Amino acid sequence: YHTNGEKRSVTVDLESVKRIYPIDKDKVLFVTEEKPSRESPLQINSLDKTAMSRIVVLDLKAKLVALDFILSNSVIDILGTPDEINSPIFLLSTNGILHKITEKSLDDRLSIVIQKQLYPFAIELATVSNVSDLDIQDIHKKYGDFLYKKGQKAEAVEQYVQCLDVVETSEIIAKFSVEGTADLNGIKNLSDYLWSLIKKGIASSDHVTLLLIVLIKLKDKDQINFFLTHFSRLGTYSEDAIKDDIDDESYYYSGKDLFNFKLILHLLDESNFKEESYKLAMTFSKDAVTIVEVLLNIMDSPMTAINYIRSLTIDDTLRVLALFSKTLLDILPNDTIVLLIEVFTGKYVSQKYE
C-alpha cells in the first residue's frame, strides 16, 4: 500500500515465494525456494534435502526483471535500508554467508544493454528513467547505425529521423547517396529523412534541393505536388495545404534562397512534368519572365501566357513583351497586337489572372 492508502498490485509467474522485500517504490525483491535438478552441479549427497534460493528483482516502473540468480543455500534473512536511495541489500544464507546486492548506475545499465545491442529496450529504459532528450537521441543514432549495417535501411531511417539534434545530416545523406545509384528503396529512404529535416524546420536550401531531386528521380508526382502545396515561400512546412502565402512583392524582397529553383525547374522539364513545372514557377519564381517561358515552352499555352502578361504591372508587361512579343506575334498575332496597342496607347489596365 502507498502512504495515501492506494493499493498497488503486480502479477508475477513465480512459484514457492518465501520472502517479498520492497527495495523502493519501483523495485521489489522476491525469494523463492528452488530444488536442484539431478544434473545440477550443486548436488552433492543430499539431493532431496538441499534447498536453494532464487533471487528475483522486478523493476515495476521499467516493467522488467532487473535481476535473476540462484543461491546454493536458502536465504534466512534480508537486510537493508529501504529509506535510503540506492542502498545495498544484504541476503543472509543458511551457510552463514552475507551476500551483497547493489544496483548499477543508470549509465552502466544503459551501457550494458547497448553493448548487447538491445536498442529498443535501451530506449525504453532511458525514457522511463527520464534521461535527457539528447542522450535518448544518441541511442536512436546508434540503433540507426546498427540497422543500417544489417541492411535494414528503411528501419534505420526511422531511427535517424528521431535523432536530428545529434546526427550529422551530411553523414546520413552520404549513406543514401543519390549519385549514380539504382537502389530506388535507398533513394526513397533518403527522401523520408530529408522530409523529416524540412518538417522540423532545420533543412538548408541544399537539403530542400536534394529532396526535390530525389522526388524527381523517383518520378513521385504525388510527393512533388505535396511539396508544392505544403512548403511556403517563407521556407516553412505546413501540415495543411497552404492557402495564404506571402504576396509576390514580399516574396521578391525576402532575399530567401529556398532551393536551387533553376535546377529543379530544368529537371522537371526534362522529366516532362509539365503541370509541376508550372506550379513550381507560379509559386516560387520571382521573375515574370520565367513564368512566361514556362507557359510558352513547357506548357505550350500561348493564350494563357498572354492572359498572365495582362495581369502584370505595366513595367513588367513592357519587360516581358520586349522579350516575347515576336514569338507571340508569330503564334497569336491578333491577341498580341491588341495587347501592344493597349500598352502603347496608355489604355493598358492590369487584369486578374486566373
Side-chain angles (χ1 to χ4, degrees):
Y1 289 89
H2 289 263
T3 54
N4 61 3
E6 177 189 353
K7 183 179 181 180
R8 187 180 186 187
S9 60
V10 61
T11 302
V12 295
D13 185 17
L14 295 172
E15 298 179 355
S16 304
V17 176
K18 298 301 181 182
R19 298 287 298 272
I20 300 177
Y21 183 83
I23 298 174
D24 56 33
K25 65 183 180 67
D26 295 319
K27 300 179 188 68
V28 180
L29 183 148
F30 295 86
V31 178
T32 68
E33 185 179 279
E34 301 286 323
K35 293 290 185 179
S37 66
R38 293 186 179 275
E39 293 77 19
S40 173
L42 297 174
Q43 174 191 348
I44 303 179
N45 294 317
S46 51
L47 174 63
D48 296 328
K49 296 180 180 179
T50 302
M52 301 185 299
S53 292
R54 180 185 177 192
I55 313 302
V56 178
V57 176
L58 298 183
D59 188 328
L60 305 180
K61 183 178 182 180
K63 298 179 182 179
L64 57 86
V65 177
L67 184 67
D68 187 353
F69 70 97
I70 299 290
L71 286 179
S72 58
N73 296 92
S74 296
V75 172
I76 59 176
D77 203 0
I78 303 175
L79 307 172
T81 52
D83 295 334
E84 295 183 13
I85 299 176
N86 296 328
S87 61
I89 304 297
F90 297 93
L91 307 176
L92 179 61
S93 58
T94 53
N95 61 354
I97 296 178
L98 196 63
H99 304 269
K100 181 181 179 181
I101 301 175
T102 57
E103 183 179 21
K104 290 183 179 293
S105 69
L106 178 59
D107 288 342
D108 287 341
R109 282 179 280 157
L110 285 172
S111 178
I112 292 170
V113 173
I114 291 172
Q115 286 176 6
K116 293 180 180 292
Q117 299 179 335
L118 302 174
Y119 294 102
F121 174 59
I123 293 169
E124 182 180 356
L125 176 61
T127 302
V128 299
S129 301
N130 296 320
V131 172
S132 72
D133 183 61
L134 290 180
D135 287 337
I136 293 176
Q137 288 192 45
D138 188 59
I139 300 174
H140 280 291
K141 167 65 166 58
K142 292 176 180 176
Y143 190 20
D145 291 341
F146 170 74
L147 292 169
Y148 182 83
K149 290 177 182 177
K150 290 181 64 179
Q152 298 176 240
K153 295 182 179 180
E155 293 80 0
V157 167
E158 290 178 4
Q159 298 305 314
Y160 289 140
V161 299
Q162 298 185 67
C163 58
L164 299 177
D165 296 325
V166 300
V167 72
E168 288 290 339
T169 56
S170 58
E171 175 189 349
I172 306 304
I173 291 172
K175 288 179 184 289
F176 302 94
S177 176
V178 71
E179 282 296 326
T181 179
D183 181 9
L184 293 183
N185 287 330
I187 298 174
K188 175 64 172 62
N189 296 333
L190 176 58
S191 73
D192 293 339
Y193 179 72
L194 293 168
W195 265 122
S196 70
L197 299 180
I198 291 173
K199 291 177 180 180
K200 194 170 182 180
I202 59 175
S204 66
S205 61
D206 289 338
H207 295 145
V208 180
T209 301
L210 182 57
L211 172 64
L212 291 170
I213 292 172
V214 167
L215 296 180
I216 294 170
K217 188 177 182 70
L218 290 171
K219 299 188 182 302
D220 194 337
K221 284 190 176 184
D222 289 341
Q223 282 291 292
I224 294 172
N225 281 291
F226 183 85
F227 173 88
L228 294 173
T229 54
H230 290 75
F231 190 74
S232 76
R233 286 174 161 184
L234 292 171
T236 57
Y237 169 80
S238 171
E239 288 288 346
D240 300 319
I242 298 171
K243 296 180 180 179
D244 298 315
D245 211 340
I246 59 174
D247 58 57
D248 292 344
E249 184 176 0
S250 299
Y251 178 55
Y252 182 83
Y253 290 106
S254 65
K256 285 186 173 293
D257 182 20
L258 302 181
F259 54 88
N260 190 329
F261 172 82
K262 290 185 178 180
L263 172 62
I264 299 305
L265 182 60
H266 172 70
L267 293 175
L268 287 172
D269 183 21
E270 273 192 339
S271 300
N272 200 31
F273 289 172
K274 296 183 178 181
E275 289 293 335
E276 290 71 24
S277 299
Y278 172 66
K279 291 178 182 178
L280 181 82
M282 287 301 298
T283 304
F284 295 107
S285 176
K286 294 184 177 182
D287 189 356
V289 170
T290 300
I291 296 175
V292 174
E293 285 179 337
V294 169
L295 289 169
L296 289 175
N297 302 328
I298 297 179
M299 297 296 290
D300 191 22
S301 182
M303 193 65 237
T304 305
I306 286 183
N307 290 337
Y308 172 74
I309 294 171
R310 284 185 171 278
S311 71
L312 302 174
T313 63
I314 185 62
D315 291 338
D316 282 337
T317 298
L318 286 169
R319 186 165 60 90
V320 169
L321 287 174
L323 295 171
F324 297 105
S325 60
K326 185 177 184 304
T327 301
L328 290 170
L329 283 169
D330 291 339
I331 304 171
L332 294 173
N334 294 335
D335 294 281
T336 306
I337 290 173
V338 170
L339 175 59
L340 289 170
I341 291 174
E342 289 179 5
V343 168
F344 289 107
T345 58
K347 296 180 180 180
Y348 173 82
V349 177
S350 179
Q351 301 175 4
K352 185 177 181 180
Y353 174 70
E354 296 180 353

